[in-house]
Amino acid sequence: MSKNLPKVAYFCMEYGLHQDFKMYAGGLGILAGDYIKGAKQYNYPMVAIGIKWKQGYTDQMIDKEGQPYDTYHNYSYDFLEDTGVKVPVEIRGEHILCKVWKTESFDNIPLYLLDTDIPENHERWITGQLYGWFGEERIAQEIVLGIGGVRALRALNIDVDIYHFNEGHALFAGFELIREKKEQGLYHEEAIEETREEVVFTTHTPILQGNESHPISKLMYMSANLGMTESQLEALGGSPFNMTVGALRLSKISNGVAQLHGETSNKMWAHIDKRSEIIAVTNAIHLPTWVDEKMLKAAESGEDLAIIHQQNKQALVDFVKEKNGASLNPNKLIIGFSRRAAPYKRSNFIFSKPEIIGSYLKNQDIQIVFSGKAHPLDDTGKEIVKNLVEMSKQYPNSVVFLENYGMEIGAALTRGADVWLNNPRRPLEASGTSGMKASMNGVLNLSILDGWWPEACKHGDNGWQFGDGFESHNDHEQDAHDLNALYKVLTEEVVPTFYKNKEKWQKMMRASILDTMEYFNVKRMLEEYYEKMYKL
Ligand SMILES: *Cc1c(COP(=O)(O)O)cnc(C)c1O
């Protein structure tokens, strides 16, 4: 590793490093966690900035009626190091101190976590719950992450060349960089120019409403503006102030998280002037966290994969039995599906036509294990979960819903299932790293051509696609098209291959592993960020 690589500070609201370290909600955090483990594994000069969440994200359980409900617990972690550093931020005109913790406990680069839950503070709630609230609370959290984060780097004497905002949540770090430069005598426009040279931005969601915005008056009221006027704010993020737009205008380069997502993001933000170029850097995973090394080795050496996979499958069957009581048959096909319960992900899609899928479920020729949380404030998402639980009651031995999705369930499913199903409405899935975990474990992807999958899929050789990339603005039309395609591939290719052509199945497992294990390894992703995004 060359000594003069740029030093990067990576900012993210959440980090999925371990099941029991409740600093993450979902895919964004898992990506960040894998990335900072990879940066350590491959020895990159990076540090990471985040927030120490007291209660993390919801532990979402299912009640007796099959309804999801949210629970929160206070967690404490004795492995966190106290850096002795506390940095001030101003929130709603009030002086708040952020205590800075550090951890490298998960084979990650140094991760600094800011915490407002200390006796000196009047308002200790800010770092209470991850994405627990909207509006003022979210802005307060983002002030801690961004402004507190830059100040923590200064207080810790950590040199930084590049500030990487993973998602727009970190944008206020850019405000602090501007403020510092103005304090040193630069004019506003010059300060923006210079800040832009230091910032790179990764955009994540192709759902417009998922891109957070706030009334400018609220940013002023919360003291997020750091001396900027309303019109200066508007020039950056529009009005209402959109965090993604602000980050696109305050970065030297931006990226989407898969090739298709890069295209989608360019269309989505085409109307934004003075923004940085959006390229694509496809996500990847940290192999030691997710992939069974025995499978990798056996795939490379040509050894039997079926025996090792069968052990992983048995482990999943046992895991499901213990968590849920359901008895899956380890000799029959198991499909895994876990996604946040949001309408565009269409979690219950496969049940759309009981006249087609019903008999397969009744005789256990198809078994499906579901998991996934709904956002705590999303009643539609909760209805989706409730519906999945109802299906599991209707088909008790072939449909399972595992409550409280997290890294442990994610790992068990992406190792132990036979097939990994993904059926979002294209092009709304940004990346979908769970499919990469599955693929490298020899779990065959059966997926819409969305997110990362168009980059890897060789239909019938290393997995299957369905839907041929069809897109329609009419949801009914798109759903009808995709559903026919799903049923056709499932009943004519997946099920017959599984039961009647074990040899081909094993060949596909091997191709699935060998075709993905290098390109979708976080090593490639780090190299690409350094080459295309971080270069000075
Ligand atoms: C891998 C993983 C994700 C991200 O997967 P997607 O394919 O984006 O859904 C989210 N949550 C958990 C717990 C994971 O393990």
Side-chain angles (χ1 to χ4, degrees), residues 495-521:
V495 171
T497 309
F498 182 82
Y499 288 108
K500 301 207 184 100
N501 196 345
K502 294 283 178 205
E503 204 176 317
K504 177 169 183 202
W505 193 275
Q506 179 153 191
K507 209 169 146 197
M508 288 183 71
M509 288 170 77
R510 178 161 285 122
S512 170
I513 297 168
L514 295 178
D515 289 355
T516 55
M517 60 184 286
E518 276 178 30
Y519 191 75
F520 299 99
N521 182 336

PDB file of all heavy atoms in Angstrom, residues 495-521:
ATOM      1  N   VAL A 495     -37.639 -24.961  -9.844  1.00  0.00           N
ATOM      2  CA  VAL A 495     -38.133 -26.166  -9.152  1.00  0.00           C
ATOM      3  C   VAL A 495     -37.694 -27.450  -9.876  1.00  0.00           C
ATOM      4  O   VAL A 495     -37.143 -28.357  -9.227  1.00  0.00           O
ATOM      5  CB  VAL A 495     -39.671 -26.091  -8.951  1.00  0.00           C
ATOM      6  CG1 VAL A 495     -40.211 -27.428  -8.448  1.00  0.00           C
ATOM      7  CG2 VAL A 495     -40.014 -24.972  -7.969  1.00  0.00           C
ATOM      8  N   PRO A 496     -37.869 -27.562 -11.201  1.00  0.00           N
ATOM      9  CA  PRO A 496     -37.412 -28.790 -11.865  1.00  0.00           C
ATOM     10  C   PRO A 496     -35.902 -29.018 -11.723  1.00  0.00           C
ATOM     11  O   PRO A 496     -35.468 -30.153 -11.527  1.00  0.00           O
ATOM     12  CB  PRO A 496     -37.771 -28.565 -13.345  1.00  0.00           C
ATOM     13  CG  PRO A 496     -38.802 -27.495 -13.347  1.00  0.00           C
ATOM     14  CD  PRO A 496     -38.577 -26.658 -12.141  1.00  0.00           C
ATOM     15  N   THR A 497     -35.112 -27.962 -11.810  1.00  0.00           N
ATOM     16  CA  THR A 497     -33.662 -28.160 -11.664  1.00  0.00           C
ATOM     17  C   THR A 497     -33.340 -28.659 -10.257  1.00  0.00           C
ATOM     18  O   THR A 497     -32.543 -29.584 -10.083  1.00  0.00           O
ATOM     19  CB  THR A 497     -32.883 -26.856 -11.943  1.00  0.00           C
ATOM     20  OG1 THR A 497     -33.319 -26.313 -13.182  1.00  0.00           O
ATOM     21  CG2 THR A 497     -31.389 -27.110 -12.002  1.00  0.00           C
ATOM     22  N   PHE A 498     -33.980 -28.070  -9.282  1.00  0.00           N
ATOM     23  CA  PHE A 498     -33.682 -28.467  -7.895  1.00  0.00           C
ATOM     24  C   PHE A 498     -34.000 -29.940  -7.654  1.00  0.00           C
ATOM     25  O   PHE A 498     -33.211 -30.673  -7.053  1.00  0.00           O
ATOM     26  CB  PHE A 498     -34.456 -27.594  -6.900  1.00  0.00           C
ATOM     27  CG  PHE A 498     -34.135 -27.938  -5.462  1.00  0.00           C
ATOM     28  CD1 PHE A 498     -32.990 -27.429  -4.854  1.00  0.00           C
ATOM     29  CD2 PHE A 498     -34.946 -28.795  -4.723  1.00  0.00           C
ATOM     30  CE1 PHE A 498     -32.672 -27.760  -3.537  1.00  0.00           C
ATOM     31  CE2 PHE A 498     -34.632 -29.137  -3.413  1.00  0.00           C
ATOM     32  CZ  PHE A 498     -33.491 -28.609  -2.824  1.00  0.00           C
ATOM     33  N   TYR A 499     -35.169 -30.376  -8.120  1.00  0.00           N
ATOM     34  CA  TYR A 499     -35.590 -31.753  -7.793  1.00  0.00           C
ATOM     35  C   TYR A 499     -35.087 -32.796  -8.788  1.00  0.00           C
ATOM     36  O   TYR A 499     -34.956 -33.955  -8.438  1.00  0.00           O
ATOM     37  CB  TYR A 499     -37.119 -31.820  -7.669  1.00  0.00           C
ATOM     38  CG  TYR A 499     -37.600 -31.138  -6.401  1.00  0.00           C
ATOM     39  CD1 TYR A 499     -38.267 -29.909  -6.450  1.00  0.00           C
ATOM     40  CD2 TYR A 499     -37.365 -31.711  -5.151  1.00  0.00           C
ATOM     41  CE1 TYR A 499     -38.691 -29.274  -5.289  1.00  0.00           C
ATOM     42  CE2 TYR A 499     -37.778 -31.078  -3.974  1.00  0.00           C
ATOM     43  CZ  TYR A 499     -38.447 -29.859  -4.060  1.00  0.00           C
ATOM     44  OH  TYR A 499     -38.844 -29.240  -2.894  1.00  0.00           O
ATOM     45  N   LYS A 500     -34.809 -32.380 -10.027  1.00  0.00           N
ATOM     46  CA  LYS A 500     -34.513 -33.397 -11.043  1.00  0.00           C
ATOM     47  C   LYS A 500     -33.112 -33.330 -11.618  1.00  0.00           C
ATOM     48  O   LYS A 500     -32.698 -34.227 -12.347  1.00  0.00           O
ATOM     49  CB  LYS A 500     -35.527 -33.271 -12.198  1.00  0.00           C
ATOM     50  CG  LYS A 500     -36.961 -33.441 -11.731  1.00  0.00           C
ATOM     51  CD  LYS A 500     -37.854 -33.969 -12.845  1.00  0.00           C
ATOM     52  CE  LYS A 500     -39.308 -34.051 -12.406  1.00  0.00           C
ATOM     53  NZ  LYS A 500     -40.087 -32.895 -12.909  1.00  0.00           N
ATOM     54  N   ASN A 501     -32.384 -32.269 -11.324  1.00  0.00           N
ATOM     55  CA  ASN A 501     -31.071 -32.165 -11.948  1.00  0.00           C
ATOM     56  C   ASN A 501     -30.048 -31.613 -10.953  1.00  0.00           C
ATOM     57  O   ASN A 501     -29.553 -30.490 -11.081  1.00  0.00           O
ATOM     58  CB  ASN A 501     -31.165 -31.274 -13.201  1.00  0.00           C
ATOM     59  CG  ASN A 501     -29.944 -31.434 -14.100  1.00  0.00           C
ATOM     60  OD1 ASN A 501     -28.922 -31.973 -13.672  1.00  0.00           O
ATOM     61  ND2 ASN A 501     -30.049 -30.949 -15.329  1.00  0.00           N
ATOM     62  N   LYS A 502     -29.741 -32.459  -9.981  1.00  0.00           N
ATOM     63  CA  LYS A 502     -28.825 -32.038  -8.898  1.00  0.00           C
ATOM     64  C   LYS A 502     -27.455 -31.645  -9.445  1.00  0.00           C
ATOM     65  O   LYS A 502     -26.777 -30.769  -8.902  1.00  0.00           O
ATOM     66  CB  LYS A 502     -28.650 -33.183  -7.886  1.00  0.00           C
ATOM     67  CG  LYS A 502     -29.909 -33.538  -7.117  1.00  0.00           C
ATOM     68  CD  LYS A 502     -30.200 -32.530  -6.011  1.00  0.00           C
ATOM     69  CE  LYS A 502     -31.493 -32.874  -5.280  1.00  0.00           C
ATOM     70  NZ  LYS A 502     -32.132 -31.718  -4.643  1.00  0.00           N
ATOM     71  N   GLU A 503     -27.085 -32.336 -10.520  1.00  0.00           N
ATOM     72  CA  GLU A 503     -25.781 -32.056 -11.098  1.00  0.00           C
ATOM     73  C   GLU A 503     -25.706 -30.620 -11.626  1.00  0.00           C
ATOM     74  O   GLU A 503     -24.753 -29.899 -11.380  1.00  0.00           O
ATOM     75  CB  GLU A 503     -25.548 -33.040 -12.236  1.00  0.00           C
ATOM     76  CG  GLU A 503     -24.090 -33.277 -12.561  1.00  0.00           C
ATOM     77  CD  GLU A 503     -23.972 -34.341 -13.641  1.00  0.00           C
ATOM     78  OE1 GLU A 503     -24.703 -35.360 -13.551  1.00  0.00           O
ATOM     79  OE2 GLU A 503     -23.192 -34.133 -14.576  1.00  0.00           O
ATOM     80  N   LYS A 504     -26.760 -30.245 -12.348  1.00  0.00           N
ATOM     81  CA  LYS A 504     -26.790 -28.874 -12.869  1.00  0.00           C
ATOM     82  C   LYS A 504     -26.848 -27.865 -11.716  1.00  0.00           C
ATOM     83  O   LYS A 504     -26.211 -26.806 -11.763  1.00  0.00           O
ATOM     84  CB  LYS A 504     -27.997 -28.681 -13.794  1.00  0.00           C
ATOM     85  CG  LYS A 504     -28.087 -27.249 -14.277  1.00  0.00           C
ATOM     86  CD  LYS A 504     -29.069 -26.990 -15.389  1.00  0.00           C
ATOM     87  CE  LYS A 504     -28.977 -25.521 -15.790  1.00  0.00           C
ATOM     88  NZ  LYS A 504     -30.186 -25.052 -16.449  1.00  0.00           N
ATOM     89  N   TRP A 505     -27.623 -28.208 -10.698  1.00  0.00           N
ATOM     90  CA  TRP A 505     -27.734 -27.286  -9.553  1.00  0.00           C
ATOM     91  C   TRP A 505     -26.356 -27.005  -8.967  1.00  0.00           C
ATOM     92  O   TRP A 505     -25.976 -25.871  -8.702  1.00  0.00           O
ATOM     93  CB  TRP A 505     -28.674 -27.872  -8.490  1.00  0.00           C
ATOM     94  CG  TRP A 505     -29.067 -26.849  -7.474  1.00  0.00           C
ATOM     95  CD1 TRP A 505     -28.365 -26.492  -6.359  1.00  0.00           C
ATOM     96  CD2 TRP A 505     -30.242 -26.024  -7.493  1.00  0.00           C
ATOM     97  NE1 TRP A 505     -29.017 -25.499  -5.669  1.00  0.00           N
ATOM     98  CE2 TRP A 505     -30.175 -25.193  -6.341  1.00  0.00           C
ATOM     99  CE3 TRP A 505     -31.334 -25.911  -8.360  1.00  0.00           C
ATOM    100  CZ2 TRP A 505     -31.179 -24.264  -6.046  1.00  0.00           C
ATOM    101  CZ3 TRP A 505     -32.324 -24.984  -8.051  1.00  0.00           C
ATOM    102  CH2 TRP A 505     -32.231 -24.172  -6.914  1.00  0.00           C
ATOM    103  N   GLN A 506     -25.607 -28.085  -8.800  1.00  0.00           N
ATOM    104  CA  GLN A 506     -24.286 -27.920  -8.198  1.00  0.00           C
ATOM    105  C   GLN A 506     -23.355 -27.106  -9.108  1.00  0.00           C
ATOM    106  O   GLN A 506     -22.569 -26.282  -8.627  1.00  0.00           O
ATOM    107  CB  GLN A 506     -23.677 -29.275  -7.865  1.00  0.00           C
ATOM    108  CG  GLN A 506     -22.312 -29.118  -7.257  1.00  0.00           C
ATOM    109  CD  GLN A 506     -21.872 -30.235  -6.339  1.00  0.00           C
ATOM    110  OE1 GLN A 506     -20.884 -30.080  -5.667  1.00  0.00           O
ATOM    111  NE2 GLN A 506     -22.583 -31.345  -6.288  1.00  0.00           N
ATOM    112  N   LYS A 507     -23.486 -27.319 -10.377  1.00  0.00           N
ATOM    113  CA  LYS A 507     -22.690 -26.541 -11.326  1.00  0.00           C
ATOM    114  C   LYS A 507     -23.044 -25.041 -11.229  1.00  0.00           C
ATOM    115  O   LYS A 507     -22.173 -24.169 -11.276  1.00  0.00           O
ATOM    116  CB  LYS A 507     -22.994 -27.057 -12.740  1.00  0.00           C
ATOM    117  CG  LYS A 507     -21.856 -26.894 -13.703  1.00  0.00           C
ATOM    118  CD  LYS A 507     -22.120 -27.663 -14.991  1.00  0.00           C
ATOM    119  CE  LYS A 507     -21.521 -26.877 -16.146  1.00  0.00           C
ATOM    120  NZ  LYS A 507     -22.050 -27.297 -17.442  1.00  0.00           N
ATOM    121  N   MET A 508     -24.330 -24.790 -11.064  1.00  0.00           N
ATOM    122  CA  MET A 508     -24.762 -23.396 -10.930  1.00  0.00           C
ATOM    123  C   MET A 508     -24.251 -22.778  -9.631  1.00  0.00           C
ATOM    124  O   MET A 508     -23.866 -21.604  -9.588  1.00  0.00           O
ATOM    125  CB  MET A 508     -26.290 -23.297 -10.999  1.00  0.00           C
ATOM    126  CG  MET A 508     -26.847 -23.551 -12.400  1.00  0.00           C
ATOM    127  SD  MET A 508     -28.654 -23.331 -12.495  1.00  0.00           S
ATOM    128  CE  MET A 508     -28.801 -21.546 -12.347  1.00  0.00           C
ATOM    129  N   MET A 509     -24.256 -23.578  -8.566  1.00  0.00           N
ATOM    130  CA  MET A 509     -23.731 -23.069  -7.290  1.00  0.00           C
ATOM    131  C   MET A 509     -22.269 -22.652  -7.461  1.00  0.00           C
ATOM    132  O   MET A 509     -21.842 -21.589  -6.994  1.00  0.00           O
ATOM    133  CB  MET A 509     -23.820 -24.145  -6.194  1.00  0.00           C
ATOM    134  CG  MET A 509     -25.224 -24.432  -5.710  1.00  0.00           C
ATOM    135  SD  MET A 509     -25.276 -25.905  -4.641  1.00  0.00           S
ATOM    136  CE  MET A 509     -24.634 -25.252  -3.145  1.00  0.00           C
ATOM    137  N   ARG A 510     -21.518 -23.515  -8.135  1.00  0.00           N
ATOM    138  CA  ARG A 510     -20.095 -23.218  -8.323  1.00  0.00           C
ATOM    139  C   ARG A 510     -19.934 -21.948  -9.155  1.00  0.00           C
ATOM    140  O   ARG A 510     -19.145 -21.060  -8.804  1.00  0.00           O
ATOM    141  CB  ARG A 510     -19.402 -24.413  -9.001  1.00  0.00           C
ATOM    142  CG  ARG A 510     -17.936 -24.192  -9.277  1.00  0.00           C
ATOM    143  CD  ARG A 510     -17.185 -25.502  -9.511  1.00  0.00           C
ATOM    144  NE  ARG A 510     -16.989 -26.193  -8.246  1.00  0.00           N
ATOM    145  CZ  ARG A 510     -17.421 -27.419  -7.968  1.00  0.00           C
ATOM    146  NH1 ARG A 510     -18.066 -28.128  -8.875  1.00  0.00           N
ATOM    147  NH2 ARG A 510     -17.205 -27.944  -6.792  1.00  0.00           N
ATOM    148  N   ALA A 511     -20.700 -21.831 -10.225  1.00  0.00           N
ATOM    149  CA  ALA A 511     -20.613 -20.626 -11.069  1.00  0.00           C
ATOM    150  C   ALA A 511     -21.018 -19.388 -10.275  1.00  0.00           C
ATOM    151  O   ALA A 511     -20.409 -18.317 -10.408  1.00  0.00           O
ATOM    152  CB  ALA A 511     -21.499 -20.798 -12.298  1.00  0.00           C
ATOM    153  N   SER A 512     -22.040 -19.530  -9.455  1.00  0.00           N
ATOM    154  CA  SER A 512     -22.506 -18.410  -8.648  1.00  0.00           C
ATOM    155  C   SER A 512     -21.375 -17.877  -7.770  1.00  0.00           C
ATOM    156  O   SER A 512     -21.127 -16.662  -7.698  1.00  0.00           O
ATOM    157  CB  SER A 512     -23.690 -18.882  -7.791  1.00  0.00           C
ATOM    158  OG  SER A 512     -24.040 -17.917  -6.844  1.00  0.00           O
ATOM    159  N   ILE A 513     -20.659 -18.790  -7.148  1.00  0.00           N
ATOM    160  CA  ILE A 513     -19.557 -18.384  -6.257  1.00  0.00           C
ATOM    161  C   ILE A 513     -18.396 -17.800  -7.069  1.00  0.00           C
ATOM    162  O   ILE A 513     -17.927 -16.688  -6.801  1.00  0.00           O
ATOM    163  CB  ILE A 513     -19.066 -19.584  -5.418  1.00  0.00           C
ATOM    164  CG1 ILE A 513     -20.199 -20.081  -4.519  1.00  0.00           C
ATOM    165  CG2 ILE A 513     -17.839 -19.207  -4.595  1.00  0.00           C
ATOM    166  CD1 ILE A 513     -19.929 -21.429  -3.866  1.00  0.00           C
ATOM    167  N   LEU A 514     -17.963 -18.542  -8.069  1.00  0.00           N
ATOM    168  CA  LEU A 514     -16.759 -18.117  -8.805  1.00  0.00           C
ATOM    169  C   LEU A 514     -16.988 -16.827  -9.588  1.00  0.00           C
ATOM    170  O   LEU A 514     -16.074 -16.020  -9.740  1.00  0.00           O
ATOM    171  CB  LEU A 514     -16.287 -19.234  -9.745  1.00  0.00           C
ATOM    172  CG  LEU A 514     -15.816 -20.516  -9.042  1.00  0.00           C
ATOM    173  CD1 LEU A 514     -15.404 -21.576 -10.069  1.00  0.00           C
ATOM    174  CD2 LEU A 514     -14.664 -20.237  -8.072  1.00  0.00           C
ATOM    175  N   ASP A 515     -18.198 -16.621 -10.071  1.00  0.00           N
ATOM    176  CA  ASP A 515     -18.477 -15.409 -10.862  1.00  0.00           C
ATOM    177  C   ASP A 515     -18.570 -14.145 -10.011  1.00  0.00           C
ATOM    178  O   ASP A 515     -18.548 -13.043 -10.556  1.00  0.00           O
ATOM    179  CB  ASP A 515     -19.805 -15.555 -11.626  1.00  0.00           C
ATOM    180  CG  ASP A 515     -19.698 -16.549 -12.779  1.00  0.00           C
ATOM    181  OD1 ASP A 515     -18.588 -17.050 -13.036  1.00  0.00           O
ATOM    182  OD2 ASP A 515     -20.740 -16.822 -13.412  1.00  0.00           O
ATOM    183  N   THR A 516     -18.740 -14.279  -8.711  1.00  0.00           N
ATOM    184  CA  THR A 516     -18.995 -13.081  -7.895  1.00  0.00           C
ATOM    185  C   THR A 516     -17.941 -12.807  -6.830  1.00  0.00           C
ATOM    186  O   THR A 516     -17.832 -11.678  -6.353  1.00  0.00           O
ATOM    187  CB  THR A 516     -20.369 -13.171  -7.194  1.00  0.00           C
ATOM    188  OG1 THR A 516     -20.436 -14.392  -6.442  1.00  0.00           O
ATOM    189  CG2 THR A 516     -21.507 -13.143  -8.204  1.00  0.00           C
ATOM    190  N   MET A 517     -17.175 -13.826  -6.436  1.00  0.00           N
ATOM    191  CA  MET A 517     -16.347 -13.671  -5.230  1.00  0.00           C
ATOM    192  C   MET A 517     -15.247 -12.624  -5.361  1.00  0.00           C
ATOM    193  O   MET A 517     -14.793 -12.090  -4.355  1.00  0.00           O
ATOM    194  CB  MET A 517     -15.753 -15.015  -4.786  1.00  0.00           C
ATOM    195  CG  MET A 517     -14.862 -15.669  -5.808  1.00  0.00           C
ATOM    196  SD  MET A 517     -14.294 -17.298  -5.228  1.00  0.00           S
ATOM    197  CE  MET A 517     -13.096 -16.850  -3.996  1.00  0.00           C
ATOM    198  N   GLU A 518     -14.830 -12.311  -6.563  1.00  0.00           N
ATOM    199  CA  GLU A 518     -13.807 -11.275  -6.678  1.00  0.00           C
ATOM    200  C   GLU A 518     -14.405  -9.897  -6.888  1.00  0.00           C
ATOM    201  O   GLU A 518     -14.104  -8.958  -6.174  1.00  0.00           O
ATOM    202  CB  GLU A 518     -12.830 -11.615  -7.804  1.00  0.00           C
ATOM    203  CG  GLU A 518     -11.770 -12.554  -7.288  1.00  0.00           C
ATOM    204  CD  GLU A 518     -10.787 -12.994  -8.342  1.00  0.00           C
ATOM    205  OE1 GLU A 518     -10.527 -12.216  -9.282  1.00  0.00           O
ATOM    206  OE2 GLU A 518     -10.298 -14.129  -8.218  1.00  0.00           O
ATOM    207  N   TYR A 519     -15.279  -9.803  -7.862  1.00  0.00           N
ATOM    208  CA  TYR A 519     -15.785  -8.471  -8.199  1.00  0.00           C
ATOM    209  C   TYR A 519     -16.612  -7.866  -7.061  1.00  0.00           C
ATOM    210  O   TYR A 519     -16.563  -6.654  -6.805  1.00  0.00           O
ATOM    211  CB  TYR A 519     -16.611  -8.518  -9.493  1.00  0.00           C
ATOM    212  CG  TYR A 519     -16.924  -7.136  -9.994  1.00  0.00           C
ATOM    213  CD1 TYR A 519     -15.942  -6.367 -10.618  1.00  0.00           C
ATOM    214  CD2 TYR A 519     -18.185  -6.567  -9.801  1.00  0.00           C
ATOM    215  CE1 TYR A 519     -16.198  -5.085 -11.045  1.00  0.00           C
ATOM    216  CE2 TYR A 519     -18.456  -5.279 -10.228  1.00  0.00           C
ATOM    217  CZ  TYR A 519     -17.470  -4.538 -10.853  1.00  0.00           C
ATOM    218  OH  TYR A 519     -17.730  -3.267 -11.269  1.00  0.00           O
ATOM    219  N   PHE A 520     -17.360  -8.696  -6.360  1.00  0.00           N
ATOM    220  CA  PHE A 520     -18.238  -8.152  -5.315  1.00  0.00           C
ATOM    221  C   PHE A 520     -17.619  -8.271  -3.927  1.00  0.00           C
ATOM    222  O   PHE A 520     -18.311  -8.203  -2.916  1.00  0.00           O
ATOM    223  CB  PHE A 520     -19.628  -8.792  -5.420  1.00  0.00           C
ATOM    224  CG  PHE A 520     -20.262  -8.507  -6.745  1.00  0.00           C
ATOM    225  CD1 PHE A 520     -20.248  -9.433  -7.774  1.00  0.00           C
ATOM    226  CD2 PHE A 520     -20.820  -7.257  -6.998  1.00  0.00           C
ATOM    227  CE1 PHE A 520     -20.791  -9.149  -9.030  1.00  0.00           C
ATOM    228  CE2 PHE A 520     -21.363  -6.951  -8.247  1.00  0.00           C
ATOM    229  CZ  PHE A 520     -21.354  -7.897  -9.262  1.00  0.00           C
ATOM    230  N   ASN A 521     -16.305  -8.434  -3.910  1.00  0.00           N
ATOM    231  CA  ASN A 521     -15.531  -8.368  -2.675  1.00  0.00           C
ATOM    232  C   ASN A 521     -15.239  -6.890  -2.381  1.00  0.00           C
ATOM    233  O   ASN A 521     -14.883  -6.129  -3.287  1.00  0.00           O
ATOM    234  CB  ASN A 521     -14.221  -9.138  -2.885  1.00  0.00           C
ATOM    235  CG  ASN A 521     -13.348  -9.177  -1.639  1.00  0.00           C
ATOM    236  OD1 ASN A 521     -13.441  -8.328  -0.760  1.00  0.00           O
ATOM    237  ND2 ASN A 521     -12.485 -10.170  -1.576  1.00  0.00           N
TER     238      ASN A 521
END
